[in-house]
Amino acid sequence: MGTDQYKAFWQFSQEAAFKMLNTGESGLEEQEAAKRIGEYGSNTIKTNSRYSVFFLFLAQFKSPVTIMLIVAALLSASLGDVMDTVIILTIVLISSFLGFWQEKGAANAVKELLKLVQLHCDVLRGGKKKEITVEEVVPGDLVILSAGDLIPGDSLLINSRELFVDEAAFTGETYPVEKLCGELPVDTPLSKRSNALFMGSHVISGKATALVIKTGVQTEFGKISLGLQSKAPETDFEKGIRKFGYMLMQITLLMVLIIFAVNVFLHKPVLDSFLFSLALAVGLTPQLLPAIISVNLSTGARRMAKLQVIVKRLSAIENFGAMNILCSDKTGTITEGKVNLKDTLDINGVHSDKVMQYAWLNASLQQGFHNPIDEAIASGYKGPPNTFKVQAEIPYDFIRKRLTIQVNNETQNIAITKGALKIILSICTQVETSDGKIGPIEDKEKSILQQYDKLSEAGLRTLGVAYKPGEAAHDFTREDEKEMTFLGFVTLFDPPKAHVAEILSNLNKLGVGLKIITGDNALVAKSLALQIGIKKPQILTGAALQKMSNAALIHQAPLTDIFAEVEPNQKERIIVMLKKAGKVVGFMGDGINDATALHTADVGISVNTAVDVAKEAADIVLLSQDLDVLTKGIVEGRRTFTNTMKYIFMATSANFGNMFSMAGASLFLPFLPLLPKQILLTNLLTDFPEMAISTDKVDEINIQSPQHWDMRFIRRFMLTFGLLSSVFDYVTFGILLLFLHVKEKTFQTGWFIESVISAILIVLVVRTRLPFFKSMPGRYLSAATAFVLLLVLALPATPLASLFGFIKIPVTLYGWMLLVVICYVAAAELAKRWFYRKLNKGTAK
């Protein structure tokens, strides 16, 4: 079955669509669904991983310098130097394979983690409702949808009730679109296809059953995604890595051109000079940087998973560590998330059984999006059994902020509305007093609002309940939500978590400020703030925020503790203004209306129990809705950032210094200071221990405050420690040439040993701000360093030595090299102390 025949599926009747897809009102049988998965493939728009593994391997050779080196090595082979060519190509291949192996392992680890937070949907299979992953949905499935669900494929509506869908991804229209069953002409434009649902949109309110027509890349969303190949916006860390790459590329190209030109001018062999220049370029280029970053991030992601924090987008880990503002709703994070019914009151604040019964009917009989408030009201009812049945329902939505249900029994037909108190008052013209009399609301509105403020000051969330007589012949609609009778209040409470004050203190110690964004009124929010230890909370209401200019809000937002009475569309503006104020902002949300804010934040955080649209928009998903889990995740993000930076520091100190020294030495030596294959071997051996950097220990000082990419700091670090490395390289040259008077091969062997050992040992110094003996490296980094150290010392005495152009050297030479390395490590330790002291002084100023 192809999908071309279903191209304009909105023209079909339900019967025709069922017939074409060979299904019916009971859905597909399991056997048929399994067969269709094989035919259509998984319901995903991602590329096939079989090909991506191959391209990942090829990507290891994408560096222009590496390609030029391979070409030059092959040219050298054509001139008869086959052995050198084989050695060079082998080293390049080993280095590239290490990068590929590390990145592939990282990708597989992330793939496994993402399985923990897969999106699910309800389908009818063989007449029975079943929950499956979105990727398992096939054409012909009947999906059951409710508020918060993502549409899993392009679908035809089979039935719907008050269904409103967000289709902004396709139409740009921010307001929800109402969907109705029916048949439409073939040429109906996308924005007018009211009987069709499209993958990539989501349900705002209401319920529906829909027949899936197209899945995966065949959907409208799939075609758009394939056409655009849209990438997620670059994080600050990714931007920094790119700039760092450009900086190294400029230095490398300049050095290669100068060294090549000077060596040719000094009448050294052209091909050898070219290979030497390219090998220098490879030595300067941190080839394993992409692999090291991937491995660090995936290792961090695995450790965070153990802490119940699942990372969906690896680059978000760096932003997670850099985050200094966390915006969150209070429910479930600050509070227990278990809403409890306090009481149902009449307009005078006295308990009312009638308010309880009406609120219970509204909460328990509604069929829309189930929420903790309705569950609390339903479980709190202890009155007589229900005799009513539902006639009509108008589901809750975030624009009306109320839920209406029309019920009837043998004697009564009533419409009951429950929602935000001021919204309920706005649709009421009458009020019922405690003695059952009904009068105009104007006489009582002031006292109702005073009672509402009193309840709010006590920290109680307060809803309003209203009613209106209904008619059996007429179903209640949105237009009928007017001229109602106000009945009373429903009060609820959600106590703060036991240790939340301590957790907030820990967040503050980590340099992360919490901003609570809530739809609750300012008095309830203030009461909560006082309970959790915020002594003088700065509160900004949605109404005040609406009147503020962006310039004023940029100044005010960082100073505000609680944003109260906030409309859903204001969350995004708050986050944008905080970002413009120079903050790295995390947003934690789990609701239908949180998707845009999650996208806008530097780090979008959701929970595994969130609605699908929130989980899909998030970068990070928590398996536990607990700020303590989040705190541990932030610490892990900072560990990951720190370990990634260690590789940068190594690449910009010893590597840069060695290559700079080699370039300078080639100008006055009558021979090449190191042969191209020796330079490549140096680069490979110094990179090898760095593969264990992701498991390294991290000092407490790196965890205590948000970590940021700082290009200026890296440049200063490179100049300071690169030049220091060069000083000791030239000391080595002086000992070898002026004091020991060694020949070419002895010089190359001696300096190879010194440069590799100094490069791997200097990592132990630059990896920490503390004295290196006070911050010992991790087990794997220590083992890898020791292995390379022994290998380098033993290499000149092995059969491999002649292949690389090395020879045995006198024991006294080992002694001299050891002395140079000890002096270099000691000098680097002193330089580090001076560097950070000067840095701290500069920061203090």
Side-chain angles (χ1 to χ4, degrees):
M1 286 185 288
T3 53
D4 287 347
Q5 59 184 311
Y6 314 136
K7 197 169 182 183
F9 62 87
W10 48 90
Q11 67 179 307
F12 300 136
S13 65
Q14 292 178 14
E15 294 75 16
F18 279 140
K19 188 175 178 182
M20 279 191 302
L21 283 158
N22 196 20
T23 187
E25 292 183 0
S26 60
L28 296 171
E29 295 296 330
E30 285 294 344
Q31 195 174 355
E32 178 62 23
K35 182 182 165 189
R36 293 190 187 192
I37 273 278
E39 187 177 342
Y40 294 103
S42 294
N43 181 26
T44 178
I45 58 171
K46 292 170 187 170
T47 53
N48 195 318
S49 60
R50 284 180 299 176
Y51 299 106
S52 61
V53 169
F54 175 66
F55 287 122
L56 180 63
F57 182 69
L58 286 185
Q60 308 304 315
F61 301 93
K62 67 184 178 184
S63 162
V65 174
T66 304
I67 294 167
M68 286 170 70
L69 183 64
I70 292 169
V71 171
L74 292 172
L75 180 60
S76 178
S78 69
L79 297 175
D81 195 356
V82 178
M83 187 50 72
D84 272 14
T85 301
V86 170
I87 291 169
I88 288 171
L89 292 179
T90 301
I91 293 171
V92 170
L93 192 64
I94 291 170
S95 183
S96 299
F97 179 77
L98 284 175
F100 161 74
W101 178 67
Q102 295 268 50
E103 288 197 67
K104 184 176 180 293
N108 289 340
V110 174
K111 193 176 174 185
E112 289 302 309
L113 291 177
L114 289 179
K115 286 181 182 176
L116 296 173
V117 288
Q118 279 184 319
L119 299 179
H120 293 78
C121 64
D122 290 329
V123 296
L124 277 178
R125 290 270 172 93
K128 294 179 181 176
K129 185 176 175 182
K130 181 184 179 183
E131 187 183 80
I132 62 171
T133 65
V134 168
E135 289 193 359
E136 293 176 282
V137 172
V138 292
D141 263 327
L142 273 176
V143 292
I144 301 162
L145 301 166
S146 60
D149 288 346
L150 283 167
I151 310 297
D154 289 358
S155 312
L156 183 71
L157 265 185
I158 300 303
N159 62 61
S160 68
R161 185 165 70 250
E162 296 285 347
L163 184 68
F164 284 80
V165 173
D166 184 334
E167 288 187 341
F170 301 97
T171 62
E173 178 58 60
T174 53
Y175 289 102
V177 179
E178 187 171 14
K179 294 289 183 177
L180 302 161
C181 297
E183 298 169 41
L184 294 169
V186 176
D187 58 356
T188 306
L190 192 145
S191 60
K192 305 287 184 186
R193 295 171 195 166
S194 57
N195 65 343
L197 305 175
F198 296 98
M199 186 181 191
S201 55
H202 66 272
V203 179
I204 294 290
S205 63
K207 294 178 85 72
T209 304
L211 174 65
V212 177
I213 308 289
K214 299 178 187 177
T215 57
V217 293
Q218 297 296 326
T219 62
E220 294 295 325
F221 187 67
K223 288 169 187 171
I224 291 169
S225 297
L226 285 177
L228 296 177
Q229 286 296 315
S230 56
K231 276 184 76 177
E234 225 177 11
T235 65
D236 282 343
F237 184 79
E238 288 169 322
K239 227 175 272 177
I241 289 288
R242 184 166 49 79
K243 287 179 181 175
F244 175 66
Y246 288 153
M247 180 186 78
L248 281 185
M249 195 187 298
Q250 288 166 352
I251 294 169
T252 302
L253 286 173
L254 185 65
M255 193 174 285
V256 165
L257 289 171
I258 293 171
I259 299 306
F260 178 63
V262 172
N263 274 284
V264 171
F265 178 74
L266 295 172
H267 305 294
K268 293 179 182 177
V270 174
L271 187 58
D272 281 353
S273 298
F274 186 55
L275 273 169
F276 175 75
S277 302
L278 287 177
L280 273 183
V282 172
L284 261 176
T285 308
Q287 285 173 300
L288 285 184
L289 184 59
I292 294 290
I293 289 171
S294 296
V295 171
N296 274 340
L297 294 180
S298 65
T299 303
R302 279 198 295 266
R303 282 200 296 252
M304 287 166 80
K306 289 177 184 175
L307 302 171
Q308 297 189 298
V309 180
I310 305 300
V311 180
K312 285 178 61 191
R313 183 182 167 205
L314 280 184
S315 57
I317 291 179
E318 311 293 1
N319 275 352
F320 202 35
M323 180 174 73
N324 52 20
I325 292 289
L326 173 64
C327 297
S328 173
D329 190 5
K330 61 184 181 59
T331 307
T333 49
I334 310 300
T335 64
E336 290 287 353
K338 294 175 184 174
V339 179
N340 299 283
L341 178 67
K342 175 73 173 173
D343 207 347
T344 50
L345 311 168
D346 63 20
I347 61 168
N348 297 320
V350 177
H351 173 76
S352 167
D353 288 336
K354 185 174 182 178
V355 175
M356 180 73 248
Q357 185 194 20
Y358 277 37
W360 171 69
L361 286 169
N362 178 284
S364 62
L365 296 180
Q366 66 99 3
Q367 295 297 308
F369 182 62
H370 286 274
N371 60 77
I373 289 174
D374 285 337
E375 287 170 11
I377 293 169
S379 63
Y381 180 68
K382 301 290 186 280
N386 177 38
T387 59
F388 288 88
K389 61 181 181 181
V390 180
Q391 179 176 327
E393 179 182 346
I394 310 169
Y396 181 89
D397 64 61
F398 294 99
I399 298 168
R400 289 166 45 257
K401 291 188 177 178
R402 58 182 179 263
L403 164 68
T404 299
I405 191 161
Q406 183 183 8
V407 295
N408 60 57
N409 62 12
E410 292 178 0
T411 58
Q412 284 180 287
N413 190 308
I414 45 175
I416 305 166
T417 301
K418 172 182 94 283
L421 185 120
K422 291 179 181 178
I423 295 286
I424 296 297
L425 281 179
S426 71
I427 59 170
C428 291
T429 53
Q430 300 179 109
V431 61
E432 183 174 311
T433 58
S434 52
D435 57 6
K437 291 180 181 177
I438 294 173
I441 199 164
E442 289 83 2
D443 300 342
K444 300 288 184 180
E445 189 167 6
K446 186 177 178 183
S447 65
I448 290 170
L449 289 172
Q450 285 173 344
Q451 185 67 36
Y452 173 60
D453 287 347
K454 184 180 172 185
L455 293 167
S456 296
E457 281 176 359
L460 297 171
R461 183 168 186 178
T462 307
L463 305 179
V465 178
Y467 71 96
K468 184 179 182 180
E471 300 171 19
H474 173 69
D475 286 353
F476 211 76
T477 65
R478 289 168 191 255
E479 287 70 34
D480 297 317
E481 289 182 320
K482 60 184 180 182
E483 298 174 359
M484 301 189 80
T485 301
F486 184 81
L487 185 60
F489 310 95
V490 177
T491 58
L492 306 125
F493 68 98
D494 182 7
K497 289 185 176 176
H499 304 294
V500 72
E502 183 186 337
I503 293 167
L504 292 183
S505 173
N506 290 339
L507 273 174
N508 283 326
K509 286 175 187 173
L510 290 170
V512 180
L514 181 73
K515 310 285 183 194
I516 298 173
I517 302 179
T518 178
D520 278 354
N521 73 61
L523 295 171
V524 172
K526 184 179 180 181
S527 171
L528 176 70
L530 293 170
Q531 288 179 66
I532 61 174
I534 303 174
K535 291 178 182 175
K536 294 181 180 178
Q538 295 297 309
I539 300 172
L540 188 64
T541 65
L545 194 147
Q546 190 74 35
K547 295 172 186 173
M548 270 189 174
S549 67
N550 284 346
L553 188 55
I554 287 171
H555 172 73
Q556 188 62 37
L559 305 174
T560 303
D561 298 304
I562 297 175
F563 298 88
E565 300 169 29
V566 168
E567 299 289 332
N569 58 1
Q570 291 180 319
K571 293 179 183 180
E572 187 180 2
R573 187 182 174 215
I574 292 166
I575 290 165
V576 168
M577 294 304 115
L578 284 167
K579 284 171 75 173
K580 286 188 175 178
K583 308 296 182 183
V584 179
V585 184
F587 176 77
M588 190 169 174
D590 61 359
I592 300 163
N593 58 331
D594 288 332
T596 52
L598 286 164
H599 271 302
T600 305
D602 293 303
V603 190
I605 306 160
S606 194
V607 290
N608 208 22
T609 53
V611 296
D612 282 353
V613 66
K615 266 204 295 189
E616 181 68 11
D619 301 307
I620 288 169
V621 177
L622 308 182
L623 299 183
S624 168
Q625 193 169 0
D626 193 332
L627 279 179
D628 194 36
V629 167
L630 199 62
T631 305
K632 290 171 183 172
I634 291 167
V635 168
E636 200 53 59
R638 291 180 186 174
R639 285 187 204 281
T640 305
F641 180 91
T642 302
N643 280 338
T644 306
M645 292 307 296
K646 287 174 187 177
Y647 181 79
I648 304 286
F649 295 156
M650 187 278 290
T652 54
S653 54
N655 269 24
F656 175 75
N658 282 347
M659 297 308 133
F660 185 75
S661 305
M662 230 178 293
S666 71
L667 303 182
F668 63 80
L669 286 173
F671 50 82
L672 293 176
L674 281 182
L675 299 176
K677 59 188 175 186
Q678 294 169 346
I679 296 173
L680 293 175
L681 183 62
T682 301
N683 192 44
L684 179 65
L685 292 176
T686 53
D687 268 345
F688 181 75
E690 295 304 311
M691 293 191 299
I693 206 82
S694 62
T695 62
D696 193 23
K697 296 173 185 173
V698 174
D699 299 332
E700 202 62 36
I701 193 171
N702 297 111
I703 292 168
Q704 286 169 354
S705 59
Q707 303 290 308
H708 300 278
W709 181 275
D710 187 343
M711 200 66 193
R712 191 173 160 214
F713 174 85
I714 291 168
R715 275 197 299 266
R716 285 164 65 187
F717 195 96
M718 183 168 75
L719 284 172
T720 303
F721 291 92
L723 289 174
L724 180 69
S725 174
S726 283
V727 167
F728 281 90
D729 286 338
Y730 283 106
V731 168
T732 304
F733 298 160
I735 291 169
L736 291 169
L737 295 171
L738 304 176
F739 188 66
L740 299 175
H741 307 290
V742 300
K743 303 295 182 187
E744 179 180 348
K745 285 189 181 292
T746 308
F747 178 93
Q748 290 167 342
T749 306
W751 192 42
F752 167 79
I753 292 169
E754 186 275 335
S755 63
V756 175
I757 291 175
S758 64
I760 61 171
L761 290 182
I762 201 65
V763 175
L764 306 182
V765 175
V766 299
R767 57 173 285 282
T768 174
R769 289 191 179 201
L770 303 172
F772 75 90
F773 50 85
K774 286 188 179 179
S775 174
M776 300 309 290
R779 188 166 69 241
Y780 295 111
L781 180 59
S782 299
T785 302
F787 171 75
V788 173
L789 188 66
L790 293 172
L791 181 67
V792 170
L793 291 172
L795 187 60
T798 67
L800 287 172
S802 59
L803 287 175
F804 287 98
F806 297 132
I807 60 168
K808 284 185 179 179
I809 58 173
V811 176
T812 52
L813 191 52
Y814 278 109
W816 281 109
M817 295 302 100
L818 178 64
L819 181 63
V820 170
V821 169
I822 290 170
C823 292
Y824 173 43
V825 170
E829 188 59 54
L830 291 171
K832 181 178 70 176
R833 194 175 300 180
W834 168 82
F835 180 83
Y836 285 114
R837 191 181 297 135
K838 188 178 178 186
L839 180 77
N840 289 337
K841 281 181 183 175
T843 308
K845 286 176 188 174

